[in-house]
């Protein structure tokens, strides 16, 4: 199975300031088609996860441009350029290169 | 708009069975891979199973393989999860998630609101 490790697990953030989450995979997520099969999800309190970023760097429909994803191979980063109060929740990375699909442990973002 | 509505959760004793369903609307269900993902209380996400649009491919997570069965009825736009030999550690919110309309791309996009399964004696 592909192990997924996120850091930090807890992220106190200040509104208007940037924030960053790291996700590391135990093997490369780079497919032969040139895409990295790494997605980012946000689970707001009491809600189901919603897709933010797919294939490492592509914003999903309706996601604000303050969210961006980067990385390749085994190391990936989700960045929020300016944190807003509605960004509170748990962020998960997910690899879909192979089954079983696996998730990072989650990073809880809270407002300071 | 894409809608996924899970049902069938509840309380079951260890060793018993439950069947979950996921009614979908707003997209061409028969063209999409579908998934089940679960989340134990206060825990992270665990992928359970997927089925390709044409039922050719079915994959399961290691902790449920041999006990759970994923199925779909394309005429009813509905996905199912038959859960047998339930264990205490199957207690979780079970989410139905839409995959993609291409084979061998196992990503997901839309998720339902989930249904809670509690396994307790």
């Amino acid at each position: 199975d592909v192990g997924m490790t996120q850091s930090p697990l807890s992220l106190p953030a200040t509104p208007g300031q940037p924030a960053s989450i790291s996700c590391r995979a135990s093997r490369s997520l780079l497919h032969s088609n040139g895409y990295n099969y790494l997605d980012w999800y946000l689970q707001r309190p009491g809600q189901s996860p919603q897709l933010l970023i797919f294939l490492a760097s592509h914003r999903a429909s309706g996601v604000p441009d303050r969210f961006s994803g980067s990385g390749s191979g085994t190391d990936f980063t989700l960045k929020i350029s300016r944190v807003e109060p509605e960004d509170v929740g748990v962020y998960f990375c997910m690899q879909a290169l192979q089954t079983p699909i696996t998730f990072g442990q989650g990073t809880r973002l809270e407002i300071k | 708009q894409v809608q996924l509505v899970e049902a069938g959760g509840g309380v079951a004793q260890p060793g018993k069975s439950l069947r979950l369903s996921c009614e979908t609307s707003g997209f061409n269900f028969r063209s999409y891979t579908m998934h089940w993902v679960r989340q134990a209380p206060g825990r992270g996400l665990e992928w359970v199973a997927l089925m390709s649009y044409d039922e050719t491919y079915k994959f399961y997570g290691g902790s449920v393989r041999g006990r759970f069965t994923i199925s779909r009825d394309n005429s009813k736009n509905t996905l199912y999860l038959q859960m047998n030999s339930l264990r205490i550690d199957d207690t979780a919110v079970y989410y139905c998630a839409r995959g993609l309309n291409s084979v061998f791309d196992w990503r997901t996009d839309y998720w339902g609101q989930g249904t809670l399964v509690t396994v307790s004696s």
Side-chain angles (χ1 to χ4, degrees), chain A residues 37 39 41 43 46-49 51 54-55 92 94 96 99-101 103, chain B residues 35 37 39 44-47 50 59 95 105-109 111-113:
Chain A
Y37 277 62
D39 298 340
Y41 282 83
Q43 186 174 30
Q47 296 186 17
S48 59
L51 181 65
F54 64 93
L55 297 175
F92 294 95
M94 180 190 93
T99 62
I101 291 166
F103 296 87
Chain B
H35 299 248
V37 181
Q39 185 171 35
L45 298 166
E46 180 187 11
W47 176 77
L50 73 80
F59 297 112
Y95 296 103
D105 189 334
W106 306 132
R107 292 179 289 132
T108 62
D109 53 13
W111 294 42
Q113 287 304 304

Side-chain angles (χ1 to χ4, degrees), chain B residues 12-15 41 67 85-92 117-121:
Chain B
Q13 292 181 323
R67 300 187 299 124
S85 303
L86 282 164
R87 308 191 303 219
I88 301 286
D89 61 2
D90 292 322
T91 295
V117 171
T118 303
V119 183
S120 172
S121 54

Side-chain angles (χ1 to χ4, degrees), chain A residues 27-45:
Chain A
R27 59 153 287 189
S28 176
L29 301 182
L30 181 62
H31 192 280
S32 57
N33 63 12
Y35 291 104
N36 286 276
Y37 277 62
L38 185 286
D39 298 340
W40 289 97
Y41 282 83
L42 165 61
Q43 186 174 30
R44 293 191 171 97

